[in-house]
Amino acid sequence: MAVINSIFENNAQWIQQKLAADPEYFHKLNLGQAPEYLYIGCSDSRVTAEEIMGLAPGEVFVHRNIANLVVNNDLNGQAVIHFAVRHLKVKHIIISGHYNCGGVKASMQPDDLGILNPWLRNIRDVYRMYQEELDAIEDYTERNDRLVELNVIEQVTNVLKLKVVQQARKERNIQIHGWIFDFKTGKLKNMDIDIEKIERDLHRIYELK
Ligand code: CO
């Protein structure tokens, strides 16, 4: 209980800090949001989106789930992307994975994990797509890290399959990015994914009219 209560003490201190720097801080926060970024990352407690990016409240719209997936029939994730793109009109969509991801690790073992099975299936499908490349990597950590990277590429691809994103690409050139966070160094790495190449290679059945 004492630990839980300390959270409210932290909150009170935070309010004092913010007000000391700007007495209008909360008034301004209450006026609305116009973030330029949509960040889709992992729920892992070590991947604190705003803190890693050095962004303040109001600057980034955040969606986090296990292993930073963009799943076609996940109403939650799809609604977040739709709202961020069409209504908030974010300029950038970022898919950020991280090395040493528990979700990605779990998907590399053929264990029955109950309701996690259909979720992790999305990562297992990524494994199957790149099976040859991944199976050739003998070191487990290296193979895991590579699957983290490939998963980001595939989730970026999934973002590009969405009509709302295709439209925003045409109308206002919304930018899509794939990043990786590394706990060992704290470094956020831009994978420099060639978005135009993915768009060119994507089969035209995904190009919705
Ligand atoms: Co993770």
Side-chain angles (χ1 to χ4, degrees), residues 42 44 67 98 101-103:
C42 185
D44 192 304
H98 67 98
C101 179

Side-chain angles (χ1 to χ4, degrees), residues 40-44 63-71 95-98 101-107 116 119-120 122-123 126 147-148 151-152 155:
I40 300 172
C42 185
S43 294
D44 192 304
H63 178 71
R64 290 166 68 182
N65 61 40
I66 294 174
N68 40 270
L69 300 179
V70 176
V71 179
I95 303 285
S96 186
H98 67 98
C101 179
V104 173
K105 270 187 188 166
S107 74
L116 284 168
W119 190 254
L120 298 180
N122 296 290
I123 314 170
V126 174
L147 182 54
V148 164
N151 183 47
V152 168
Q155 302 320 313

Side-chain angles (χ1 to χ4, degrees), residues 58-116:
E59 292 184 321
V60 57
F61 203 65
V62 173
H63 178 71
R64 290 166 68 182
N65 61 40
I66 294 174
N68 40 270
L69 300 179
V70 176
V71 179
N72 186 47
N73 58 3
D74 166 27
L75 188 58
N76 181 359
Q78 296 290 309
V80 165
I81 295 171
H82 187 98
F83 180 69
V85 173
R86 192 159 287 178
H87 299 278
L88 294 175
K89 301 207 182 311
V90 294
K91 293 178 178 153
H92 304 268
I93 301 176
I94 298 143
I95 303 285
S96 186
H98 67 98
Y99 292 132
N100 208 1
C101 179
V104 173
K105 270 187 188 166
S107 74
M108 284 171 67
Q109 309 295 334
D111 295 329
D112 173 11
L113 297 171
I115 192 62
L116 284 168

Side-chain angles (χ1 to χ4, degrees), residues 47-62:
V47 190
T48 50
E50 292 91 337
E51 194 180 334
I52 289 168
M53 294 185 283
L55 294 177
E59 292 184 321
V60 57
F61 203 65
V62 173

